[in-house]
Amino acid sequence: MTESALDLTLLNIQRDDPVLETDFAIEMVRQMRALDAFGTYDSWPAAKMLEPFVLTKEQKREIPLVGDPDANVLSRVKAFYNAIAALIEKECALMAVPTINLTHEGFGRALITVGKLVVMDKTLRDVHRFGFPSLSKMKDEADKLLSVALEIIGEYPKAAGM
Amino acid sequence: MTESALDLTLLNIQRDDPVLETDFAIEMVRQMRALDAFGTYDSWPAAKMLEPFVLTKEQKREIPLVGDPDANVLSRVKAFYNAIAALIEKECALMAVPTINLTHEGFGRALITVGKLVVMDKTLRDVHRFGFPSLSKMKDEADKLLSVALEIIGEYPKAAGM
């Protein structure tokens, strides 16, 4: 698909949003491309690829409370936690392994381990409504998870394998 | 189903196998019952419930190399790692949380965490052929995983939450 054939109307992310230049957003785009086996996103700009991660209050309200997550939302959840694992790896130079465990109903657990250490352990619920109020809120959440993970590694460096 | 209506021919486990009296086997039976939402096993003796965990070489040979695990084998895998988590919990009086992450093709990872510590991390493959050569070999594997887990907790008690 050429870029001209693609609907590039952006509603929730500005094409020049400075957050798109951060390590986090660059890693997110890389992870989305890694999960894109059929090259669907090849011609998509970063803002378009990350837009489905942003759900305004109104958009969230339109999604039923109960629902099964589809393959697209699952790959977004994976991309988000994979990106956090990649950023942890970058900061501490140790392998960070993400594991996402979900039931069909969209409940579960996202874990990131470094060596013998659990550096992130998050309960997931309502995964079919996965999304953040804005791109910068998504980055805030990632920054928080990253800094907690690095703190845990700092506290137990030997268990992390340092 | 009454016991008399059930085929109680046992091929791989003797009804009086002393392993059936161990904490491990008792916990395995408890876990199998916990996953048995419809009460199918209510009238089954322990040996009959644990028999599907034992696959002789000949039985294993009959299972195709490549295959998708069905719901029964998945619940056996869960019961096995749940039992190990329960035994860890019993030994150290800290909550042990099992997480099993499998693709549809039967590859994946089984994790047990205690506090911030990964006390077991096992790569799973060919889950459709999950089974042990004998009941006592299954107990040996469980004992090994349990003792490694307790060793890790002993090494990093603070990360485990002690």
Side-chain angles (χ1 to χ4, degrees):
Chain A
M1 194 192 295
T2 61
E3 193 171 327
S4 57
L6 180 72
D7 177 11
L8 284 174
T9 323
L10 291 162
L11 295 166
N12 297 332
I13 299 180
Q14 296 301 312
R15 200 186 253 267
D16 58 353
D17 189 322
V19 174
L20 292 170
E21 309 290 320
T22 61
D23 279 1
F24 167 68
I26 293 168
E27 188 58 49
M28 280 299 310
V29 169
R30 185 179 301 145
Q31 292 295 338
M32 287 295 284
R33 292 204 196 281
L35 294 170
D36 176 30
F38 302 109
T40 316
Y41 304 144
D42 281 357
S43 63
W44 291 28
K48 183 76 189 168
M49 284 179 70
L50 298 186
E51 192 168 47
F53 288 87
V54 178
L55 289 177
T56 61
K57 260 190 196 160
E58 292 68 37
Q59 288 170 326
K60 214 165 198 171
R61 214 175 289 138
E62 279 165 29
I63 304 174
L65 279 175
V66 178
D68 290 352
D70 63 15
N72 288 332
V73 77
L74 289 179
S75 68
R76 289 201 291 277
V77 172
K78 274 184 204 160
F80 181 69
Y81 292 106
N82 286 355
I84 289 167
L87 294 172
I88 292 170
E89 218 165 282
K90 218 169 167 180
E91 287 286 334
C92 69
L94 292 167
M95 205 167 84
V97 185
T99 300
I100 291 166
N101 201 22
L102 281 176
T103 64
H104 286 294
E105 296 84 27
F107 286 74
R109 197 178 173 208
L111 280 175
I112 299 178
T113 60
V114 174
K116 298 206 180 320
L117 209 54
V118 180
V119 300
M120 194 206 77
D121 189 350
K122 227 176 136 41
T123 301
L124 302 176
R125 46 173 81 85
D126 299 328
V127 160
H128 69 293
R129 306 167 94 223
F130 178 77
F132 302 86
S134 68
L135 182 62
S136 98
K137 286 262 165 57
M138 172 158 86
K139 186 181 177 298
D140 288 350
E141 171 71 6
D143 285 347
K144 212 179 66 193
L145 293 172
L146 177 63
S147 79
V148 170
L150 296 175
E151 208 174 287
I152 295 172
I153 295 170
E155 210 171 328
Y156 308 106
K158 229 186 98 205
M162 281 197 134
Chain B
M1 194 190 297
T2 60
E3 193 171 326
S4 58
L6 181 70
D7 177 12
L8 284 173
T9 323
L10 290 163
L11 296 167
N12 297 331
I13 299 181
Q14 296 302 312
R15 202 187 249 266
D16 57 354
D17 189 323
V19 174
L20 291 170
E21 309 290 320
T22 61
D23 278 2
F24 167 68
I26 293 167
E27 188 58 49
M28 279 300 309
V29 170
R30 185 180 299 144
Q31 292 296 336
M32 287 296 284
R33 293 206 195 280
L35 294 170
D36 176 31
F38 301 109
T40 316
Y41 304 143
D42 280 357
S43 64
W44 290 29
K48 183 78 189 167
M49 284 179 69
L50 298 187
E51 191 168 47
F53 287 87
V54 178
L55 288 178
T56 60
K57 258 190 198 161
E58 291 68 36
Q59 288 170 326
K60 213 163 198 171
R61 214 176 289 138
E62 278 165 28
I63 304 174
L65 279 174
V66 178
D68 290 354
D70 64 16
N72 289 331
V73 76
L74 289 179
S75 68
R76 289 201 292 276
V77 172
K78 275 184 203 159
F80 180 70
Y81 293 106
N82 286 356
I84 290 167
L87 294 171
I88 294 170
E89 218 166 282
K90 220 170 167 180
E91 288 285 335
C92 69
L94 292 167
M95 204 167 89
V97 186
T99 301
I100 290 166
N101 201 23
L102 282 177
T103 65
H104 288 293
E105 295 85 26
F107 285 75
R109 199 179 172 206
L111 280 175
I112 300 179
T113 61
V114 175
K116 296 204 181 323
L117 209 52
V118 180
V119 299
M120 194 207 76
D121 188 350
K122 226 176 137 41
T123 301
L124 302 176
R125 45 175 83 83
D126 298 327
V127 160
H128 70 294
R129 307 169 92 222
F130 179 76
F132 301 87
S134 69
L135 182 62
S136 97
K137 286 262 165 59
M138 173 157 85
K139 187 182 175 300
D140 288 350
E141 171 72 6
D143 285 347
K144 212 179 66 190
L145 294 171
L146 177 62
S147 79
V148 170
L150 297 175
E151 206 174 289
I152 295 171
I153 296 169
E155 211 171 329
Y156 308 107
K158 230 185 98 204
M162 281 199 134

mmCIF file of all heavy atoms in Angstrom, chain B residues 59-95:
data_model
loop_
_atom_site.group_PDB
_atom_site.id
_atom_site.type_symbol
_atom_site.label_atom_id
_atom_site.label_comp_id
_atom_site.label_asym_id
_atom_site.label_seq_id
_atom_site.Cartn_x
_atom_site.Cartn_y
_atom_site.Cartn_z
ATOM 1 N N GLN B 59 4.178 -45.136 24.257
ATOM 2 C CA GLN B 59 3.043 -44.216 24.131
ATOM 3 C C GLN B 59 3.474 -42.886 23.530
ATOM 4 O O GLN B 59 2.778 -42.293 22.720
ATOM 5 C CB GLN B 59 2.392 -43.998 25.501
ATOM 6 C CG GLN B 59 1.625 -45.216 25.997
ATOM 7 C CD GLN B 59 1.194 -45.087 27.448
ATOM 8 O OE1 GLN B 59 1.905 -44.500 28.257
ATOM 9 N NE2 GLN B 59 0.048 -45.639 27.777
ATOM 10 N N LYS B 60 4.659 -42.428 23.960
ATOM 11 C CA LYS B 60 5.169 -41.159 23.451
ATOM 12 C C LYS B 60 5.436 -41.273 21.947
ATOM 13 O O LYS B 60 5.171 -40.337 21.186
ATOM 14 C CB LYS B 60 6.454 -40.780 24.186
ATOM 15 C CG LYS B 60 6.592 -39.279 24.350
ATOM 16 C CD LYS B 60 7.606 -38.897 25.400
ATOM 17 C CE LYS B 60 7.387 -37.456 25.833
ATOM 18 N NZ LYS B 60 8.186 -37.072 26.982
ATOM 19 N N ARG B 61 5.939 -42.435 21.548
ATOM 20 C CA ARG B 61 6.259 -42.642 20.137
ATOM 21 C C ARG B 61 5.003 -42.554 19.273
ATOM 22 O O ARG B 61 5.070 -42.172 18.104
ATOM 23 C CB ARG B 61 6.947 -44.004 19.972
ATOM 24 C CG ARG B 61 7.994 -43.987 18.876
ATOM 25 C CD ARG B 61 8.734 -45.303 18.785
ATOM 26 N NE ARG B 61 9.638 -45.558 19.896
ATOM 27 C CZ ARG B 61 9.782 -46.753 20.519
ATOM 28 N NH1 ARG B 61 9.075 -47.787 20.123
ATOM 29 N NH2 ARG B 61 10.635 -46.901 21.493
ATOM 30 N N GLU B 62 3.871 -42.911 19.853
ATOM 31 C CA GLU B 62 2.622 -42.909 19.081
ATOM 32 C C GLU B 62 2.055 -41.504 18.868
ATOM 33 O O GLU B 62 1.186 -41.312 18.028
ATOM 34 C CB GLU B 62 1.565 -43.772 19.789
ATOM 35 C CG GLU B 62 1.740 -45.250 19.488
ATOM 36 C CD GLU B 62 0.953 -46.116 20.460
ATOM 37 O OE1 GLU B 62 -0.089 -45.638 20.972
ATOM 38 O OE2 GLU B 62 1.383 -47.249 20.714
ATOM 39 N N ILE B 63 2.541 -40.533 19.662
ATOM 40 C CA ILE B 63 2.039 -39.156 19.517
ATOM 41 C C ILE B 63 2.860 -38.470 18.432
ATOM 42 O O ILE B 63 4.084 -38.510 18.466
ATOM 43 C CB ILE B 63 2.176 -38.381 20.849
ATOM 44 C CG1 ILE B 63 1.457 -39.143 21.972
ATOM 45 C CG2 ILE B 63 1.635 -36.971 20.718
ATOM 46 C CD1 ILE B 63 1.661 -38.526 23.350
ATOM 47 N N PRO B 64 2.213 -37.843 17.463
ATOM 48 C CA PRO B 64 2.981 -37.187 16.395
ATOM 49 C C PRO B 64 3.934 -36.129 16.960
ATOM 50 O O PRO B 64 3.659 -35.520 17.997
ATOM 51 C CB PRO B 64 1.913 -36.535 15.511
ATOM 52 C CG PRO B 64 0.596 -36.819 16.128
ATOM 53 C CD PRO B 64 0.764 -37.711 17.286
ATOM 54 N N LEU B 65 5.061 -35.925 16.300
ATOM 55 C CA LEU B 65 6.070 -34.972 16.777
ATOM 56 C C LEU B 65 5.511 -33.559 16.838
ATOM 57 O O LEU B 65 5.794 -32.807 17.751
ATOM 58 C CB LEU B 65 7.295 -34.988 15.858
ATOM 59 C CG LEU B 65 8.276 -36.132 16.108
ATOM 60 C CD1 LEU B 65 9.370 -36.132 15.054
ATOM 61 C CD2 LEU B 65 8.889 -35.998 17.503
ATOM 62 N N VAL B 66 4.720 -33.225 15.818
ATOM 63 C CA VAL B 66 4.162 -31.875 15.772
ATOM 64 C C VAL B 66 2.670 -31.973 16.014
ATOM 65 O O VAL B 66 1.998 -32.830 15.430
ATOM 66 C CB VAL B 66 4.446 -31.221 14.393
ATOM 67 C CG1 VAL B 66 3.817 -29.844 14.322
ATOM 68 C CG2 VAL B 66 5.948 -31.141 14.157
ATOM 69 N N GLY B 67 2.160 -31.121 16.891
ATOM 70 C CA GLY B 67 0.729 -31.162 17.158
ATOM 71 C C GLY B 67 0.326 -30.028 18.068
ATOM 72 O O GLY B 67 1.169 -29.438 18.747
ATOM 73 N N ASP B 68 -0.956 -29.704 18.071
ATOM 74 C CA ASP B 68 -1.443 -28.660 18.967
ATOM 75 C C ASP B 68 -1.899 -29.302 20.269
ATOM 76 O O ASP B 68 -2.605 -30.303 20.250
ATOM 77 C CB ASP B 68 -2.625 -27.927 18.319
ATOM 78 C CG ASP B 68 -2.179 -27.080 17.147
ATOM 79 O OD1 ASP B 68 -0.955 -26.986 16.928
ATOM 80 O OD2 ASP B 68 -3.043 -26.527 16.452
ATOM 81 N N PRO B 69 -1.504 -28.729 21.405
ATOM 82 C CA PRO B 69 -1.955 -29.288 22.673
ATOM 83 C C PRO B 69 -3.464 -29.066 22.843
ATOM 84 O O PRO B 69 -3.974 -28.007 22.499
ATOM 85 C CB PRO B 69 -1.164 -28.483 23.711
ATOM 86 C CG PRO B 69 -0.698 -27.253 23.014
ATOM 87 C CD PRO B 69 -0.649 -27.538 21.566
ATOM 88 N N ASP B 70 -4.165 -30.061 23.346
ATOM 89 C CA ASP B 70 -5.602 -29.885 23.591
ATOM 90 C C ASP B 70 -5.830 -29.428 25.038
ATOM 91 O O ASP B 70 -4.893 -29.310 25.836
ATOM 92 C CB ASP B 70 -6.381 -31.171 23.268
ATOM 93 C CG ASP B 70 -5.982 -32.328 24.177
ATOM 94 O OD1 ASP B 70 -5.350 -32.094 25.225
ATOM 95 O OD2 ASP B 70 -6.306 -33.477 23.837
ATOM 96 N N ALA B 71 -7.083 -29.163 25.367
ATOM 97 C CA ALA B 71 -7.416 -28.605 26.678
ATOM 98 C C ALA B 71 -6.996 -29.537 27.812
ATOM 99 O O ALA B 71 -6.583 -29.080 28.882
ATOM 100 C CB ALA B 71 -8.907 -28.315 26.749
ATOM 101 N N ASN B 72 -7.080 -30.854 27.590
ATOM 102 C CA ASN B 72 -6.727 -31.800 28.646
ATOM 103 C C ASN B 72 -5.240 -31.737 28.983
ATOM 104 O O ASN B 72 -4.862 -31.709 30.156
ATOM 105 C CB ASN B 72 -7.081 -33.231 28.224
ATOM 106 C CG ASN B 72 -8.575 -33.436 28.212
ATOM 107 O OD1 ASN B 72 -9.298 -32.800 28.971
ATOM 108 N ND2 ASN B 72 -9.047 -34.307 27.330
ATOM 109 N N VAL B 73 -4.415 -31.709 27.958
ATOM 110 C CA VAL B 73 -2.979 -31.685 28.233
ATOM 111 C C VAL B 73 -2.596 -30.341 28.844
ATOM 112 O O VAL B 73 -1.755 -30.263 29.740
ATOM 113 C CB VAL B 73 -2.145 -32.078 26.979
ATOM 114 C CG1 VAL B 73 -2.067 -30.956 25.978
ATOM 115 C CG2 VAL B 73 -0.738 -32.498 27.390
ATOM 116 N N LEU B 74 -3.261 -29.260 28.394
ATOM 117 C CA LEU B 74 -2.984 -27.947 28.986
ATOM 118 C C LEU B 74 -3.325 -27.935 30.469
ATOM 119 O O LEU B 74 -2.589 -27.369 31.278
ATOM 120 C CB LEU B 74 -3.760 -26.845 28.255
ATOM 121 C CG LEU B 74 -3.267 -26.530 26.840
ATOM 122 C CD1 LEU B 74 -4.131 -25.444 26.211
ATOM 123 C CD2 LEU B 74 -1.801 -26.089 26.862
ATOM 124 N N SER B 75 -4.425 -28.570 30.840
ATOM 125 C CA SER B 75 -4.769 -28.543 32.268
ATOM 126 C C SER B 75 -3.806 -29.424 33.060
ATOM 127 O O SER B 75 -3.532 -29.143 34.222
ATOM 128 C CB SER B 75 -6.238 -28.870 32.506
ATOM 129 O OG SER B 75 -6.492 -30.201 32.192
ATOM 130 N N ARG B 76 -3.248 -30.454 32.444
ATOM 131 C CA ARG B 76 -2.231 -31.239 33.143
ATOM 132 C C ARG B 76 -0.954 -30.434 33.363
ATOM 133 O O ARG B 76 -0.356 -30.471 34.441
ATOM 134 C CB ARG B 76 -1.912 -32.521 32.358
ATOM 135 C CG ARG B 76 -3.052 -33.530 32.423
ATOM 136 C CD ARG B 76 -2.575 -34.933 32.108
ATOM 137 N NE ARG B 76 -2.164 -35.131 30.724
ATOM 138 C CZ ARG B 76 -2.991 -35.410 29.723
ATOM 139 N NH1 ARG B 76 -4.281 -35.504 29.927
ATOM 140 N NH2 ARG B 76 -2.514 -35.604 28.508
ATOM 141 N N VAL B 77 -0.554 -29.669 32.329
ATOM 142 C CA VAL B 77 0.633 -28.818 32.478
ATOM 143 C C VAL B 77 0.400 -27.807 33.600
ATOM 144 O O VAL B 77 1.257 -27.603 34.477
ATOM 145 C CB VAL B 77 0.957 -28.095 31.140
ATOM 146 C CG1 VAL B 77 2.050 -27.068 31.319
ATOM 147 C CG2 VAL B 77 1.353 -29.115 30.078
ATOM 148 N N LYS B 78 -0.782 -27.196 33.587
ATOM 149 C CA LYS B 78 -1.112 -26.231 34.648
ATOM 150 C C LYS B 78 -1.081 -26.883 36.016
ATOM 151 O O LYS B 78 -0.534 -26.333 36.970
ATOM 152 C CB LYS B 78 -2.512 -25.643 34.407
ATOM 153 C CG LYS B 78 -2.493 -24.464 33.468
ATOM 154 C CD LYS B 78 -3.892 -23.860 33.359
ATOM 155 C CE LYS B 78 -4.002 -23.092 32.056
ATOM 156 N NZ LYS B 78 -5.383 -22.892 31.634
ATOM 157 N N ALA B 79 -1.703 -28.062 36.142
ATOM 158 C CA ALA B 79 -1.766 -28.749 37.433
ATOM 159 C C ALA B 79 -0.358 -29.040 37.946
ATOM 160 O O ALA B 79 -0.071 -28.868 39.137
ATOM 161 C CB ALA B 79 -2.569 -30.037 37.306
ATOM 162 N N PHE B 80 0.534 -29.444 37.050
ATOM 163 C CA PHE B 80 1.893 -29.794 37.467
ATOM 164 C C PHE B 80 2.610 -28.568 38.050
ATOM 165 O O PHE B 80 3.150 -28.623 39.155
ATOM 166 C CB PHE B 80 2.670 -30.372 36.275
ATOM 167 C CG PHE B 80 4.081 -30.776 36.597
ATOM 168 C CD1 PHE B 80 4.330 -31.879 37.409
ATOM 169 C CD2 PHE B 80 5.165 -30.067 36.098
ATOM 170 C CE1 PHE B 80 5.638 -32.271 37.725
ATOM 171 C CE2 PHE B 80 6.471 -30.447 36.400
ATOM 172 C CZ PHE B 80 6.711 -31.545 37.215
ATOM 173 N N TYR B 81 2.577 -27.449 37.322
ATOM 174 C CA TYR B 81 3.296 -26.269 37.822
ATOM 175 C C TYR B 81 2.563 -25.602 38.985
ATOM 176 O O TYR B 81 3.196 -25.047 39.879
ATOM 177 C CB TYR B 81 3.604 -25.297 36.669
ATOM 178 C CG TYR B 81 4.609 -25.915 35.717
ATOM 179 C CD1 TYR B 81 4.240 -26.395 34.477
ATOM 180 C CD2 TYR B 81 5.942 -26.071 36.112
ATOM 181 C CE1 TYR B 81 5.157 -27.008 33.633
ATOM 182 C CE2 TYR B 81 6.863 -26.687 35.279
ATOM 183 C CZ TYR B 81 6.469 -27.149 34.036
ATOM 184 O OH TYR B 81 7.383 -27.765 33.216
ATOM 185 N N ASN B 82 1.245 -25.682 39.003
ATOM 186 C CA ASN B 82 0.495 -25.201 40.173
ATOM 187 C C ASN B 82 0.892 -25.991 41.417
ATOM 188 O O ASN B 82 1.016 -25.424 42.508
ATOM 189 C CB ASN B 82 -1.017 -25.360 39.967
ATOM 190 C CG ASN B 82 -1.591 -24.350 39.002
ATOM 191 O OD1 ASN B 82 -0.886 -23.463 38.535
ATOM 192 N ND2 ASN B 82 -2.870 -24.479 38.685
ATOM 193 N N ALA B 83 1.052 -27.298 41.257
ATOM 194 C CA ALA B 83 1.424 -28.132 42.403
ATOM 195 C C ALA B 83 2.808 -27.739 42.913
ATOM 196 O O ALA B 83 3.029 -27.642 44.131
ATOM 197 C CB ALA B 83 1.406 -29.610 42.010
ATOM 198 N N ILE B 84 3.724 -27.482 41.995
ATOM 199 C CA ILE B 84 5.066 -27.078 42.425
ATOM 200 C C ILE B 84 5.000 -25.739 43.166
ATOM 201 O O ILE B 84 5.613 -25.566 44.215
ATOM 202 C CB ILE B 84 6.026 -27.043 41.218
ATOM 203 C CG1 ILE B 84 6.259 -28.487 40.779
ATOM 204 C CG2 ILE B 84 7.343 -26.364 41.551
ATOM 205 C CD1 ILE B 84 6.909 -28.627 39.455
ATOM 206 N N ALA B 85 4.204 -24.800 42.625
ATOM 207 C CA ALA B 85 4.036 -23.511 43.307
ATOM 208 C C ALA B 85 3.455 -23.722 44.708
ATOM 209 O O ALA B 85 3.908 -23.112 45.684
ATOM 210 C CB ALA B 85 3.149 -22.580 42.476
ATOM 211 N N ALA B 86 2.475 -24.607 44.822
ATOM 212 C CA ALA B 86 1.850 -24.857 46.132
ATOM 213 C C ALA B 86 2.860 -25.445 47.110
ATOM 214 O O ALA B 86 2.859 -25.098 48.296
ATOM 215 C CB ALA B 86 0.654 -25.795 45.961
ATOM 216 N N LEU B 87 3.736 -26.328 46.622
ATOM 217 C CA LEU B 87 4.747 -26.930 47.497
ATOM 218 C C LEU B 87 5.792 -25.902 47.933
ATOM 219 O O LEU B 87 6.260 -25.911 49.069
ATOM 220 C CB LEU B 87 5.413 -28.123 46.804
ATOM 221 C CG LEU B 87 4.488 -29.321 46.532
ATOM 222 C CD1 LEU B 87 5.177 -30.353 45.665
ATOM 223 C CD2 LEU B 87 4.007 -29.958 47.840
ATOM 224 N N ILE B 88 6.152 -24.996 46.998
ATOM 225 C CA ILE B 88 7.082 -23.911 47.350
ATOM 226 C C ILE B 88 6.466 -23.072 48.463
ATOM 227 O O ILE B 88 7.113 -22.735 49.461
ATOM 228 C CB ILE B 88 7.397 -23.027 46.113
ATOM 229 C CG1 ILE B 88 8.177 -23.828 45.067
ATOM 230 C CG2 ILE B 88 8.159 -21.769 46.517
ATOM 231 C CD1 ILE B 88 8.328 -23.120 43.722
ATOM 232 N N GLU B 89 5.192 -22.726 48.268
ATOM 233 C CA GLU B 89 4.460 -21.916 49.241
ATOM 234 C C GLU B 89 4.456 -22.572 50.619
ATOM 235 O O GLU B 89 4.647 -21.914 51.636
ATOM 236 C CB GLU B 89 3.031 -21.768 48.738
ATOM 237 C CG GLU B 89 2.432 -20.420 48.993
ATOM 238 C CD GLU B 89 1.171 -20.195 48.185
ATOM 239 O OE1 GLU B 89 1.294 -19.910 46.982
ATOM 240 O OE2 GLU B 89 0.079 -20.315 48.743
ATOM 241 N N LYS B 90 4.238 -23.866 50.619
ATOM 242 C CA LYS B 90 4.200 -24.631 51.860
ATOM 243 C C LYS B 90 5.545 -24.576 52.579
ATOM 244 O O LYS B 90 5.611 -24.479 53.808
ATOM 245 C CB LYS B 90 3.899 -26.091 51.499
ATOM 246 C CG LYS B 90 2.949 -26.791 52.441
ATOM 247 C CD LYS B 90 2.557 -28.118 51.807
ATOM 248 C CE LYS B 90 1.870 -29.045 52.775
ATOM 249 N NZ LYS B 90 1.527 -30.309 52.103
ATOM 250 N N GLU B 91 6.628 -24.636 51.793
ATOM 251 C CA GLU B 91 7.960 -24.690 52.384
ATOM 252 C C GLU B 91 8.413 -23.335 52.919
ATOM 253 O O GLU B 91 9.087 -23.262 53.935
ATOM 254 C CB GLU B 91 8.985 -25.169 51.354
ATOM 255 C CG GLU B 91 8.883 -26.632 51.003
ATOM 256 C CD GLU B 91 9.428 -27.546 52.109
ATOM 257 O OE1 GLU B 91 10.286 -27.097 52.893
ATOM 258 O OE2 GLU B 91 8.983 -28.701 52.174
ATOM 259 N N CYS B 92 8.074 -22.248 52.190
ATOM 260 C CA CYS B 92 8.664 -20.963 52.565
ATOM 261 C C CYS B 92 7.633 -19.992 53.134
ATOM 262 O O CYS B 92 7.983 -18.895 53.542
ATOM 263 C CB CYS B 92 9.415 -20.350 51.380
ATOM 264 S SG CYS B 92 8.340 -19.806 50.074
ATOM 265 N N ALA B 93 6.359 -20.396 53.143
ATOM 266 C CA ALA B 93 5.297 -19.557 53.690
ATOM 267 C C ALA B 93 5.198 -18.187 53.003
ATOM 268 O O ALA B 93 4.809 -17.199 53.609
ATOM 269 C CB ALA B 93 5.445 -19.390 55.201
ATOM 270 N N LEU B 94 5.578 -18.171 51.712
ATOM 271 C CA LEU B 94 5.391 -16.958 50.908
ATOM 272 C C LEU B 94 4.572 -17.351 49.676
ATOM 273 O O LEU B 94 4.663 -18.496 49.222
ATOM 274 C CB LEU B 94 6.745 -16.423 50.433
ATOM 275 C CG LEU B 94 7.681 -15.867 51.495
ATOM 276 C CD1 LEU B 94 9.080 -15.676 50.909
ATOM 277 C CD2 LEU B 94 7.150 -14.548 52.030
ATOM 278 N N MET B 95 3.799 -16.424 49.159
ATOM 279 C CA MET B 95 2.977 -16.751 48.003
ATOM 280 C C MET B 95 3.836 -17.036 46.773
ATOM 281 O O MET B 95 4.729 -16.259 46.436
ATOM 282 C CB MET B 95 2.010 -15.603 47.717
ATOM 283 C CG MET B 95 0.786 -16.049 46.956
ATOM 284 S SD MET B 95 -0.483 -14.762 46.975
ATOM 285 C CE MET B 95 -0.004 -13.843 45.519
#
